[in-house]
Amino acid sequence: MSVSLTPGSLARLLGEWNLGAAPAYRELADVVRLLILDGRVALDVALPSERSLADTLGISRTTVTAAYSLLRDQGFLSSGQGSRGRTCIPHRGPRGTAADGRSELSGAPGLAIPDGLLDLAYASLPASGEVVHRAFAAALTELPALLPGFGYDALGVGPLREAIAAHYTAAGVPTTAGQILVTSGAQHALNIVLRTLAGRSGTKVLVEHPSYPNALDAIRAAGCRPVPVAMPPARQGGRTGWDIEAMESALLQQRPAMAYVVPDFHNPTGRLMPDTERRQLVRAASASGTVLVVDETMRELNLDGARSTPLAAFGPAVVSIGSLSKSHWAGLRTGWIRAGESLIQRFAAARTTMDLGGPVVEQLAAAHLVNNLTEPLPERLASLRTNRDALLGLIAENLPTWQAERPDGGLSVWCRLPGPLSTAMTVIAPDFGIRLAAGPRFGVGGAFEHYLRVPFTLAPEQLRTAVLALRSAQDRLEASPQLRRDLTSPPAVAIA
Ligand SMILES: Cc1ncc(COP(=O)(O)O)c(C=O)c1O
């Protein structure tokens, strides 16, 4: 069935789009383009009719007609019947794109490239295929024993909860299966936690700034107010961490109900929080009555082998979120929450308002994966190290005005640009064969226009193509101050 966007929904997504920095039709087209590129407007969705959108936005129909026509020319709107074009992505690839629309590079180790654009918006890896496949084969042999049951289990199947608990215990945090709730990934876990702990509108949630965009979106969608605490800018030649004193004073002064942190290879900076800072943070959260929620999705992507203790080891009230998405594959959609048993029961109750449990075969397979959690890691980490070093080298060589922070782990490099170019680069990136996530998506209130997250999930030869594309996009913007001005304002809008 065809999906269409109502004028009201699009108006809400557009926010304060009309800033007067460029002709109105251009501003409207640019923000819609950004919404499509960011995935906030899905593909193959019919946009509102020109007349209805003009009425809703209180602008002339000519402006909407011109904006739609620009989007069509740029390849973001198909020429549908009448004026109701459907959203799409331009089918122009980077040099080297094969006739079937797949890049010739897609045969190289790395990610497949379905639409010819090198994707630098996702920081995610293909599956550890053989390991995952074997786990599913084993799960299928175990399935018959569970078939007589109902198949509903809000907490998750026993073998997986036991495997996750054993994993925490081995890492120095004694844990029982009763302290584990299995979820459909870390994002689902965060939503369950938000629904349980931050139910009232306007609840304050402390966040690192920058932070993981989907977490910020979930916090805002739950009606909460993110309280950002700045991460210190990277120091050249030295390790940079967190501003724990700033976090302590924000906790004490603002007394947020919840804090969301990513201490294990923070997304997007890739930093690892030292144990001393972990201890301080847990103590400060306890003093301010704040539930500290730690997202450990990236924890296994430890590129330099630095040691750290899970945050939960420093205090019994810490709520930990984990996932197999980065260690094995995001397609498993398997994550978990670790907390005290009574809180886990509250999370299970909240969960049943969203779904009634996870799929059983996936959980049985995940139990095998968690029991051998490190199996795919040596190979995965070795190629990530190669990719990280290749990317840092390529940036130094081709983008000498960028400051790229060397990450301790994770999947991306957080780069400071020579100017507020991030959104403009994101908007023109498809013209150069790449897709980007604009810096402001990682912040609150339009911050990080000077920053871009560049993942190193692609193979070195793909990264070379991507970095050269970034260079060409930057050159185009530097040659055209007008273009740069026109394209810099909208994302603050979409984020706020
Ligand atoms: C910090 C962080 N949390 C959560 C997620 C989403 O994880 P999942 O796929 O398990 O929902 C990601 C994915 O990139 C992430 O980086």
Side-chain angles (χ1 to χ4, degrees):
M1 213 183 66
S2 65
V3 179
S4 33
L5 199 59
T6 64
S9 306
L10 182 54
R12 268 191 300 283
L13 287 165
L14 287 167
E16 301 284 327
W17 62 273
N18 191 352
L19 298 172
Y25 80 93
R26 286 278 301 276
E27 289 192 320
L28 181 57
D30 287 342
V31 183
V32 172
R33 177 149 80 143
L34 200 70
L35 291 170
I36 297 170
L37 285 167
D38 273 355
R40 279 171 290 165
V41 169
L43 296 182
D44 202 26
V45 164
L47 292 187
S49 71
E50 292 171 4
R51 185 193 304 273
S52 66
L53 186 60
D55 287 349
T56 303
L57 295 178
I59 56 175
S60 76
R61 188 169 166 184
T62 330
T63 302
V64 181
T65 307
Y68 279 8
S69 152
L70 184 57
L71 286 166
R72 263 191 204 96
D73 290 349
Q74 293 169 336
F76 286 89
L77 206 55
S78 66
S79 320
Q81 285 189 332
S83 57
R84 308 218 59 190
R86 310 183 76 81
T87 54
C88 51
I89 292 279
H91 282 285
R92 229 174 323 144
R95 268 183 301 143
T97 300
D100 65 357
R102 292 178 67 87
S103 167
E104 287 162 8
L105 296 171
S106 61
L111 289 167
I113 305 165
D115 61 5
L117 296 180
L118 283 174
D119 201 321
L120 300 179
Y122 274 90
S124 208
L125 288 169
S128 306
E130 202 266 325
V131 175
V132 170
H133 198 264
R134 218 178 330 113
F136 271 86
L140 277 180
T141 66
E142 292 159 6
L143 181 63
L146 295 180
L147 291 176
F150 288 127
Y152 285 124
D153 193 339
L155 289 165
V157 303
L160 178 53
R161 295 170 70 209
E162 276 153 26
I164 296 166
H167 173 63
Y168 275 103
T169 303
V173 194
T175 303
T176 63
Q179 289 177 267
I180 303 294
L181 172 77
V182 177
T183 65
S184 302
Q187 185 70 17
H188 182 215
L190 176 59
N191 275 303
I192 293 171
V193 171
L194 282 165
R195 184 163 300 192
T196 312
L197 299 178
R200 273 182 305 109
S201 159
T203 302
K204 291 182 196 166
V205 178
L206 182 140
V207 293
E208 297 143 330
H209 205 220
S211 185
Y212 174 55
N214 291 326
L216 293 176
D217 286 347
I219 290 165
R220 280 185 288 248
C224 301
R225 187 147 66 81
V227 176
V229 178
M231 303 272 287
R235 273 186 292 123
Q236 291 303 311
R239 276 230 148 75
T240 320
W242 277 250
D243 187 344
I244 291 294
E245 279 172 23
M247 292 180 101
E248 283 171 336
S249 59
L251 285 166
L252 287 175
Q253 283 163 25
Q254 304 262 359
R255 300 205 170 260
M258 188 180 134
Y260 168 82
V261 292
V262 187
D264 297 279
F265 314 116
H266 171 256
N267 189 350
T269 62
R271 294 179 193 173
L272 178 68
M273 186 184 283
D275 278 0
T276 45
E277 296 186 359
R278 290 173 191 243
R279 183 169 285 112
Q280 277 175 275
L281 184 58
V282 172
R283 203 174 289 149
S286 157
S288 64
T290 302
V291 180
L292 191 53
V293 178
V294 47
D295 183 338
E296 297 177 332
T297 298
M298 296 282 185
R299 185 167 162 84
E300 305 307 324
L301 300 183
N302 184 352
L303 295 181
D304 295 330
R307 292 174 73 84
S308 71
T309 311
L311 212 78
F314 298 98
V318 170
V319 174
S320 311
I321 288 175
S323 169
L324 291 179
S325 285
K326 307 297 166 177
S327 57
H328 291 74
W329 191 36
L332 293 164
R333 304 311 309 135
T334 301
W336 56 84
I337 308 174
R338 179 204 179 272
E341 283 192 24
S342 60
L343 201 45
I344 286 291
Q345 291 299 331
R346 286 177 61 201
F347 290 147
R351 182 232 183 106
T352 53
T353 64
M354 304 178 211
D355 67 2
L356 301 179
V360 171
V361 182
E362 273 74 359
Q363 293 183 68
L364 292 175
H368 287 277
L369 298 174
V370 174
N371 278 326
N372 298 290
L373 198 76
T374 54
E375 191 185 359
L377 295 179
E379 201 182 322
R380 220 166 172 70
L381 295 180
S383 70
L384 280 174
R385 262 181 233 114
T386 305
N387 295 357
R388 173 189 62 181
D389 295 347
L391 177 60
L392 290 170
L394 285 161
I395 290 174
E397 183 189 342
N398 297 287
L399 295 158
T401 55
W402 289 30
Q403 290 166 26
E405 178 175 349
R406 184 184 168 82
D408 299 317
L411 295 168
S412 57
V413 173
W414 185 235
C415 300
R416 185 172 169 85
L417 310 179
L421 300 171
S422 193
T423 300
M425 296 253 305
T426 303
V427 175
I428 65 170
D431 295 347
F432 297 90
I434 52 176
R435 194 171 9 244
L436 300 174
R441 297 259 5 236
F442 295 80
V444 175
F448 303 118
E449 193 52 85
H450 276 81
Y451 284 84
L452 199 60
R453 184 188 74 167
V454 185
F456 44 86
T457 45
L458 300 171
E461 58 271 41
Q462 293 172 311
L463 286 173
R464 170 169 290 281
T465 308
V467 167
L468 294 178
L470 286 167
R471 176 61 200 250
S472 303
Q474 180 176 315
D475 287 349
R476 182 191 295 172
L477 290 174
E478 285 182 342
S480 170
Q482 179 63 40
L483 184 63
R484 207 169 129 171
R485 260 197 306 279
D486 287 355
L487 298 180
T488 45
S489 28
V493 171
I495 293 284

